[in-house]
Amino acid sequence: MGAYILVSVLILIACVLLSLVVLVQNSKGGGLASNFSSSNQFMGVRKTADFLEKSTWTLAIVLLVLSLFSIFVIPRGSRVQAGDTDLEKLYQEIPDSKPIENFTPPPGEESAEDAQ
């Protein structure tokens, strides 16, 4: 159960980071990279765009791998079977229902006997 929660949290973090990175980008090549127009910056405009593109691809691949890995850590076992037996017990406790005698359906509706 712990591995499933860990993978779920990592998937959630990857989704949030991927959303933020995609929102920072501009579809026409601008985005965050176009805001750095100074000549003395640490990373150039092109390097920022390259970083954002690489981080987008990396996060997308991480999300895909984590999603595929989550199949193997989904909790299975007695908890699911216990729910089935509880449902079966409740079903057995329901009294048998009998049709209502002398029931007349509302106007405009046919009863099951009239349809045959």
Side-chain angles (χ1 to χ4, degrees), residues 8-18 59:
S8 298
V9 168
L10 289 176
I11 288 174
L12 184 65
I13 291 171
C15 288
V16 169
L17 288 176
L18 183 62
L59 286 170

Side-chain angles (χ1 to χ4, degrees), residues 70-92:
S70 69
I71 297 169
F72 301 109
V73 295
I74 293 175
R76 296 178 183 89
S78 62
R79 298 184 92 181
V80 174
Q81 294 172 354
D84 291 341
T85 56
D86 291 341
L87 184 61
E88 187 175 320
K89 286 178 187 176
L90 286 173
Y91 181 73
Q92 290 174 353

Side-chain angles (χ1 to χ4, degrees), residues 38-115:
S38 174
S39 62
N40 58 356
Q41 67 240 11
F42 176 68
M43 291 175 55
V45 173
R46 185 67 207 151
K47 287 184 181 180
T48 303
D50 287 343
F51 171 75
L52 290 174
E53 183 177 351
K54 287 179 184 178
S55 61
T56 302
W57 281 107
T58 303
L59 286 170
I61 292 170
V62 166
L63 183 60
L64 176 71
V65 169
L66 285 173
S67 298
L68 292 174
F69 182 69
S70 69
I71 297 169
F72 301 109
V73 295
I74 293 175
R76 296 178 183 89
S78 62
R79 298 184 92 181
V80 174
Q81 294 172 354
D84 291 341
T85 56
D86 291 341
L87 184 61
E88 187 175 320
K89 286 178 187 176
L90 286 173
Y91 181 73
Q92 290 174 353
E93 292 176 3
I94 298 173
D96 291 335
S97 60
K98 297 177 184 174
I100 301 173
E101 296 180 16
N102 301 326
F103 175 74
T104 56
E109 293 185 17
E110 295 182 17
S111 67
E113 296 172 359
D114 293 339

